[in-house]
Amino acid sequence: MSDFWTHFTFGLKHLWNFNAYTDILFLLALTVPYEFKAWKKILILVSLFLAGHILALLLSVFNIVTIKTNILSFIISIILLIIALFNIISAGKSGKKDNITFIAIVSSVFGMLHGLGFAHYFNTITPQKPTDKLVPLFESALGFGIGILIAVTAALLLAYVVQTLLKFSKRDWILIVSAFVCGVVLPMIVHSKFLNF
């Protein structure tokens, strides 16, 4: 049980690592257009994110796919910027928010890139042969998944409080959160080691 708990908490703490806050920013940008009543769409999106994460982690553990960390960080920042800008452009437009195809693709890609980035840390704490890493991988993925549910629930509760008690319109809240994400991500892109040849 202690091995399970170690790997589970490793996955949980990975999401809630405030030194690597891109996951939280992504989940915030992903969920800001939605309310609790859209839980099915949210569940689809976060499931695609988690599935992409697990798939990429598996591919990396078996040395099928690897990408340099500085390239991953740059691409992840670009994807965060894309989703925030998409939210800004589509805020208040009912037709765009009903179609989740684009966001579903972005969520899957972000999950895969995130999984490749996480693989570096995962492989350092589990130095066994690839087949011995499968159980720890799924135990940490379970912790990561629970962390995602906590983050999404917190984001939806925050949106509810801001829109109900503080009387922000949904459109204004989407614009504020998305502008915040852009403001955090743009300096990450500009100062990226990938751009500093």
Side-chain angles (χ1 to χ4, degrees), residues 60-188:
S60 183
V61 161
F62 285 95
N63 295 315
I64 297 170
V65 178
T66 56
I67 298 179
K68 292 183 180 179
T69 308
N70 61 337
I71 295 171
L72 281 171
S73 297
F74 178 75
I75 296 171
I76 284 171
S77 299
I78 294 292
I79 290 175
L80 275 169
L81 182 62
I82 288 169
I83 197 166
L85 290 174
F86 179 81
N87 287 343
I88 290 169
I89 292 166
S90 61
K93 297 178 183 173
S94 61
K96 293 207 176 197
K97 69 181 176 188
D98 294 332
N99 185 356
I100 66 166
T101 305
F102 174 74
I103 298 300
I105 292 168
V106 170
S107 188
S108 300
V109 170
F110 188 89
M112 287 187 268
L113 293 170
H114 180 271
L116 289 173
F118 180 64
H120 172 73
Y121 301 107
F122 181 78
N123 286 326
T124 58
I125 66 152
T126 54
Q128 305 100 329
K129 60 184 181 178
T131 52
D132 292 339
K133 295 181 183 185
L134 291 177
V135 171
L137 185 150
F138 287 106
E139 290 170 345
S140 69
L142 180 61
F144 188 70
I146 297 297
I148 289 171
L149 291 177
I150 293 168
V152 167
T153 302
L156 292 171
L157 283 172
L158 178 62
Y160 178 78
V161 167
V162 168
Q163 292 174 48
T164 305
L165 299 179
L166 301 179
K167 304 297 183 194
F168 278 71
S169 72
K170 183 176 179 179
R171 180 182 174 277
D172 288 348
W173 180 240
I174 292 170
L175 293 174
I176 290 167
V177 170
S178 299
F180 171 75
V181 172
C182 287
V184 173
V185 169
L186 280 172
M188 292 167 59

